[in-house]
Amino acid sequence: VQLQASGGGLVQPGGSLRLSCAASGSIFEINVVGWYRQAPGLQREWVAQIRRTGITNYADSAKGRFTISRDTAKNTVYLQMNSLKPEDTAVYYCNVVGRSSRQSPWANFWGQGTQVTVSS
């Protein structure tokens, strides 16, 4: 499974960005898709996730500002980020828990990350 994250960039405080995570390759089933972020000098932290059922969950820092969604036909998950703050500055990574066949074990897959910088 290959994951391509995109959509990062430089935005002013209060602005918006939409990140995309496109999955390709041998995918039989995806259980969870999540977004994580890592700021310089800090540990990677979980931001949001969407389950196979469509249920979404958010970190407290993302609630009310970020929305995770998916386009199943395109194998793509989005993270709409509004009201961005300087503390949202980080490299954002998408993560997929999936498997390549019914008999395969569940595995974690990571994208390469996309930089989000919130600054005036």
Side-chain angles (χ1 to χ4, degrees):
V1 176
Q2 292 80 45
L3 302 176
Q4 181 68 44
S6 60
L10 173 64
V11 64
Q12 292 187 341
S16 299
L17 284 174
R18 188 178 80 157
L19 306 183
S20 300
C21 176
S24 61
S26 179
I27 308 171
F28 171 74
E29 186 175 19
I30 292 175
N31 193 29
V32 183
V33 180
W35 284 97
Y36 292 72
R37 67 186 183 186
Q38 187 167 19
L42 299 179
Q43 289 187 333
R44 189 172 297 187
E45 64 174 0
W46 170 72
V47 176
Q49 69 181 33
I50 183 165
R51 295 188 171 275
R52 178 179 52 190
T53 57
I55 294 174
T56 59
N57 300 95
Y58 298 91
D60 287 344
S61 59
K63 286 179 181 176
R65 299 189 299 127
F66 295 2
T67 303
I68 189 169
S69 62
R70 66 186 178 189
D71 184 333
T72 304
K74 296 182 178 179
N75 274 340
T76 300
V77 169
Y78 305 98
L79 185 67
Q80 177 68 43
M81 305 187 295
N82 299 328
S83 302
L84 283 163
K85 306 174 182 179
E87 51 264 43
D88 294 317
T89 296
V91 178
Y92 284 69
Y93 299 89
C94 60
N95 169 267
V96 166
V97 177
R99 55 183 178 176
S100 57
S101 71
R102 190 180 301 277
Q103 293 77 28
S104 301
W106 295 103
N108 263 300
F109 302 93
W110 290 92
Q112 84 286 2
T114 183
Q115 176 71 47
V116 171
T117 303
V118 185
S119 175
S120 55

